[in-house]
């Protein structure tokens, strides 16, 4: 509840939502296209940055475009490994942000919802404790925004070590599937 003491309870959640909206508005702007071109010129570092930015809702489109372009230049495995390394770092930063700040802001809302007897029983069940990380991992592996899956993993209070192992495997598989799709097109 750190932010409550400073005055505004939903500051981080609001800033996250605003940043998503702003990027969606400017996603097709010439500046964004220039950034895509510039990142492509960074070679291996560009692959890492593409992976880093592919995990976020508001940067997935330009990062996917860069990765698509760069996958034609570099080998499948070096592209997959460097992009995965970037994706793991990006996911870890978002995971820590969600787990350490946004979840604190939203916890009172979840606690209000959880006062309902049936909902409290669901949240307390072993099935829910097992299902939350599985659903979160499935969302991260899918084309859906990673933030949703990372929120679920953050809610499960998964350790950093387990998170890094899980997300490395998931990101690698997801990027390999994406690269395979690029090669088929």
């Amino acid at each position: 509840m750190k932010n409550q003491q400073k005055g505004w309870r939903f500051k981080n959640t609001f800033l996250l939502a605003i940043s998503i909206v702003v990027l969606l508005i400017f996603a097709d702007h010439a500046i964004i296209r220039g950034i895509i071109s510039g990142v492509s010129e960074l070679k291996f570092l560009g692959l890492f940055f593409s992976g880093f930015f592919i995990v976020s809702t508001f940067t997935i489109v330009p990062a996917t475009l860069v990765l698509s372009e760069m996958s034609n230049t570099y080998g499948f495995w070096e592209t997959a490994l460097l992009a995965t390394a970037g994706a793991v770092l990006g996911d870890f930063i978002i995971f820590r942000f969600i787990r350490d700040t946004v979840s604190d802001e939203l916890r009172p809302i979840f606690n209000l919802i959880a006062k309902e007897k049936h909902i409290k029983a669901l949240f307390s069940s072993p099935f829910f404790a097992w299902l939350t990380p599985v659903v979160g991992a499935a969302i991260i592996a899918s084309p859906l925004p990673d933030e949703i899956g990372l929120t679920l993993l953050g809610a499960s209070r998964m350790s950093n070590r387990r998170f890094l192992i899980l997300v490395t495997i998931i990101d690698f598989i997801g990027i390999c599937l994406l690269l395979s799709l690029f090669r088929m097109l």
Side-chain angles (χ1 to χ4, degrees), residues 24-101:
L24 289 174
I25 291 170
F26 292 106
D28 198 30
H29 196 271
I31 293 172
I32 301 297
R33 289 187 197 150
I35 292 170
I36 292 171
S37 175
V39 171
S40 294
E41 293 173 10
L42 294 175
K43 301 183 181 174
F44 292 118
L45 195 56
L47 289 171
F48 180 84
F49 284 135
S50 296
F52 180 83
F53 288 110
I54 207 163
V55 301
S56 177
T57 301
F58 52 93
T59 56
I60 191 169
V61 173
T64 302
L65 293 174
V66 170
L67 196 58
S68 172
E69 277 185 37
M70 295 183 79
S71 71
N72 295 325
T73 306
Y74 299 100
F76 183 89
W77 296 113
E78 55 194 4
T79 301
L81 290 172
L82 287 167
T84 297
V88 168
L89 179 62
D91 277 339
F92 186 66
I93 290 169
I94 294 169
F95 171 74
R96 291 297 306 259
F97 174 72
I98 289 171
R99 189 181 72 183
D100 297 343
T101 58

Side-chain angles (χ1 to χ4, degrees), residues 95 98-100 102-104 106-107 110 123 128-129 132-133 136 147-159 163:
F95 171 74
I98 289 171
R99 189 181 72 183
D100 297 343
V102 175
S103 65
D104 287 342
L106 298 177
R107 187 167 286 116
F110 290 125
F123 286 154
F128 185 78
T132 302
E147 287 92 339
I148 297 167
L150 294 169
T151 300
L152 291 172
L153 291 178
S156 71
R157 303 309 263 179
M158 180 178 283
S159 71
F163 172 81

